[in-house]
Amino acid sequence: MAALVKCRALLLPFRSQINVISGVCRSDSVLHAFLTKRAPHCVRLSSSDVKSGDDLIVRYLDGDDSGIVVLGINRPQSKNAISKNLVTMMSEALESLKKDNKVRTVVLCSMVPGIFCAGADLKERAKMQQSEVGPFVTKARTLITELGTLPMPTIAAIDGAALGGGLEMALACDIRVAASSAKMGLVETKLAIIPGAGGTQRLPRTVGVSVAKELIFAARVLSGDEAKSLGLVNHAVEQNKTGDAAYLRALDLAREFIPQGPIAIRMAKLAINQGIEVDLKTGLAIEEACYAQVIPTKDRLEGLQAFKEKRPPRYQGE
């Protein structure tokens, strides 16, 4: 009982994620025009399709891919470096997504061939006053934390270089897929700084403390295959002629998630994310609390009925 009380206290900050049955997507954002677009596939857009200043392209897929949302970073002139505007646009997009119960999976990718994200925009950073640097890094860290706490599964598709903050962004996603030729690393020590957007915390949780220290101390850059061998990415795939092999593999993974119960997936993610940070006894209590959230759902009854009738279930997220 004490463990369950402790568990409920731990879950309080995540009450909005548990309340997955209600909520709507925000419509007053400047991104609304993008969020209401529907496209059968996420393709890299030509320059005529993208307005100047669209650092982030948000696409809701439809048809069989309905429920998949693709966030495409689009700063070709700066190798997708993280700027003030990109942080603002991504924050607005994430705020909308976390309230939209129709979203089943989010795929984070690049609209720019050969690059995922080169980290901080150092040209912009060089123009900042010293007093501006700290607040900007805090905003970037908050953004990446928001990405990590989205209630639905997130997949980073790394088809090119993911360095510094770019890799920190990918580390905040649940799953990472990389092209074997992609390059990635936390290289901040080369600039006499440290990873400032979660890298010192998420990398050791992903590959282990000792390996993470070696990679950060040496500012080492890994290939997609090397990253796979260390457990930094889930899958490494041979790059194709169009340069989007990782994105296509990420899309395949997202399609595997779509048929499953959406509330169950959200609760499983919450149970895993919170449970891994505490002792086993408390973690089991967290699992019990999350399981309790799926018992009264219509989806659970639909799953049982579909099993009885030997047909695929039709989950509505209710």
Side-chain angles (χ1 to χ4, degrees), residues 75-313:
R75 301 193 72 226
Q77 74 284 2
S78 302
K79 296 183 178 180
N80 283 349
I82 301 170
S83 64
K84 291 180 179 179
N85 186 54
L86 180 61
V87 169
T88 298
M89 294 191 75
M90 286 193 70
S91 295
E92 291 178 353
L94 296 182
E95 182 66 21
S96 293
L97 289 174
K98 71 182 182 182
K99 297 178 181 179
D100 190 345
N101 294 322
K102 294 182 180 179
V103 178
R104 302 287 186 90
T105 302
V106 174
V107 177
L108 177 64
C109 68
S110 168
M111 309 299 285
V112 182
I115 191 76
F116 176 76
C117 174
D121 189 331
L122 296 181
K123 290 183 179 179
E124 183 181 77
R125 181 77 62 85
K127 298 176 183 178
M128 292 182 187
Q129 298 295 322
Q130 186 171 332
S131 59
E132 296 179 285
V133 175
F136 173 74
V137 172
T138 297
K139 287 182 180 179
R141 185 185 300 114
T142 300
L143 165 67
I144 292 175
T145 298
E146 289 173 351
L147 175 62
T149 56
L150 279 178
M152 69 289 292
T154 53
I155 307 172
I158 307 170
D159 273 304
L163 303 173
L167 181 55
E168 288 178 304
M169 199 178 292
L171 281 166
C173 293
D174 299 310
I175 295 167
R176 287 161 295 283
V177 181
S180 56
S181 58
K183 301 297 182 184
M184 63 198 78
L186 296 179
V187 297
E188 286 85 351
T189 53
K190 283 188 176 181
L191 297 172
I193 58 176
I194 69 170
T200 64
Q201 302 306 305
R202 292 190 178 92
L203 185 63
R205 284 168 166 80
T206 303
V207 301
V209 173
S210 183
V211 172
K213 286 178 178 178
E214 179 180 338
L215 296 177
I216 292 173
F217 295 169
R220 187 169 300 154
V221 175
L222 304 171
S223 68
D225 287 332
E226 290 171 327
K228 173 65 169 63
S229 71
L230 293 177
L232 178 54
V233 301
N234 298 64
H235 305 276
V237 293
E238 196 70 28
Q239 189 57 282
N240 57 26
K241 291 182 180 180
T242 52
D244 60 354
Y247 167 73
L248 294 177
R249 182 69 179 95
L251 196 58
D252 285 341
L253 285 173
R255 288 167 177 152
E256 288 187 55
F257 303 161
I258 293 301
Q260 320 312 326
I263 297 176
I265 287 181
R266 290 182 178 216
M267 288 299 99
K269 174 174 176 174
L270 184 60
I272 293 168
N273 284 358
Q274 293 305 298
I276 203 68
E277 300 293 342
V278 298
D279 61 271
L280 179 59
K281 185 177 181 180
T282 305
L284 290 172
I286 290 172
E287 179 183 81
E288 181 181 358
C290 289
Y291 195 103
Q293 300 299 315
V294 303
I295 292 175
T297 64
K298 293 179 180 179
D299 281 352
R300 186 183 71 86
L301 298 178
E302 164 62 15
L304 293 172
Q305 189 65 27
F307 178 79
K308 181 180 178 180
E309 297 174 2
K310 298 181 180 181
R311 62 170 172 81

